[in-house]
Amino acid sequence: MAQDALTERGPVTRSALSRCIAVPAEQFAREHWGRAPLLSPEHDDFHDLLSPDAVDELVGRRGLRTPFIRLAHEGSVLAAERFTSSGGFGAEVSDQVSSDKVLAEFAAGATIVLQGLHRMWPPLVDFTRTLVGELGHPAQVNAYVTPPSSQGFSPHYDTHDVFVLQVSGEKHWVIHAPVHPDPLKGQVWTDHRAAVAAAAAGEPVIDRVLRPGDALYLPRGWIHSATALGDTSIHLTVGMAAYTRADVVDTLLSVVGDTPALRTSLPLGIDVSDADELRPIVQETVDALVTALTSAPDPAGLAAARLGARFGRDTRPAPVAPLATLSAIASLSEHTRVRWREGLGGRLETPDDKVRLTAGGVVLSLPAEAARALQTLRTGDPVAVGSLPGLDLASALVVVRRLLREGVVVTSQ
């Protein structure tokens, strides 16, 4: 990554990842990802992603419901009825956010947590999708709005990596080394409460006040707490559910169902609580599992297919515009420019005389002559329908209409 790309500020000239870190992406991957925190002071201006006015709009005008909003005070999450109420006539729901109640709790020291902003606030929808494309791991975004001199949560660790982007105000962060490195999703900090508390009482690795424009990366497991200073603090937490080698193991274990030796019942009358009785069975099972894995025709392909399907469920591609898409289908011509839907991904295969496209939840079988056109579209660059290789105009129109209807491609200006 060029040095000038590291020093320019703002959303236009910088990639999503470069807005979160002050070192080249290659160095971040080598020295920090999953390994060590990274503090990036005076790095960027994040008001285009979220601002105090945007928080007021979300709380006061967007009709949020739980769990898209929650409140916390002195480490405890408040009951939803303390900040929600009926939506009133025309909105037959009972848990819409009440701006009056939020004001009262916020004035009393509660932190506002806006959850899932990657699904409902347009600047963060786009930012997160781009970041996911760079990281290769799912991500989500919460905002923490903390009143002056208040602490939202006591020292704890997360089971996902985070980027902290300080939007406005100041917040004092104290970071300690892990007591349980690289925790998996079910290995929550409360399982190690005493060890976390003891570590938090020791010498911190980072003790720093984050100011607007500062960014901080924390790998999962690193203990942290934060306190607002002087004025209302707003920061974004970009959480990344990094796939792990344990996830690869889970995908490989799918061979169990295809292995007769692993489907057999345990002996009648066995005492499953007796380790001595289980020991030979466990050894036989391990041996059968190793044999199944080593004899599988393509373990990497198996893992890729299952992790790829999971990634498709865990992430969202760019949205489609239903009305505009149907209009484009009706008026499609050789001059219409289309491009692959951002963030959709997809895999092309050519069995027999067909080309098979698997993208998200879509599986399409098209004539083999469409392969070159699909490969061209798959690059992501806009292309006119009449310029698609390997197809005459009539065939190109048929293929693109199908791809538009299935949400695989979108029109491009």
Side-chain angles (χ1 to χ4, degrees), residues 154-157 176-177 179 189-190 192-203 223:
S154 57
H156 65 285
Y157 67 72
H176 292 83
V179 297
W189 77 272
T190 50
H192 305 274
R193 190 185 297 273
V196 168
E203 187 71 19
I223 300 165

Side-chain angles (χ1 to χ4, degrees), residues 215-227:
L216 172 67
Y217 165 72
L218 289 179
R220 56 197 164 100
W222 285 73
I223 300 165
H224 56 278
S225 62
T227 303

Side-chain angles (χ1 to χ4, degrees), residues 62-80:
R62 292 298 180 106
L64 297 185
R65 301 176 62 187
T66 56
F68 283 103
I69 183 170
R70 61 178 175 143
L71 269 65
H73 194 198
E74 296 181 351
S76 298
V77 176
L78 304 187

Side-chain angles (χ1 to χ4, degrees), residues 145-270:
V145 186
T146 308
S149 304
S150 295
Q151 178 174 316
F153 294 92
S154 57
H156 65 285
Y157 67 72
D158 295 321
T159 59
H160 53 269
D161 297 49
V162 297
F163 290 115
V164 176
L165 310 179
Q166 188 69 27
V167 175
S168 62
E170 298 181 349
K171 186 163 278 190
H172 180 203
W173 284 78
V174 181
I175 313 297
H176 292 83
V179 297
H180 184 70
D182 297 325
L184 299 177
K185 184 177 181 180
Q187 299 173 327
V188 295
W189 77 272
T190 50
D191 294 340
H192 305 274
R193 190 185 297 273
V196 168
E203 187 71 19
V205 175
I206 295 176
D207 187 339
R208 173 76 181 225
V209 174
L210 293 192
R211 297 180 171 85
D214 291 352
L216 172 67
Y217 165 72
L218 289 179
R220 56 197 164 100
W222 285 73
I223 300 165
H224 56 278
S225 62
T227 303
L229 302 174
D231 200 356
T232 296
S233 166
I234 301 175
H235 79 263
L236 295 169
T237 293
V238 183
M240 292 149 293
Y243 293 150
T244 67
R245 284 168 174 76
D247 294 314
V248 175
V249 170
D250 286 342
T251 65
L252 295 176
L253 289 178
S254 62
V255 302
V256 169
D258 298 326
T259 307
L262 294 172
R263 297 201 303 265
T264 58
S265 302
L266 297 184
L268 190 67
I270 187 172

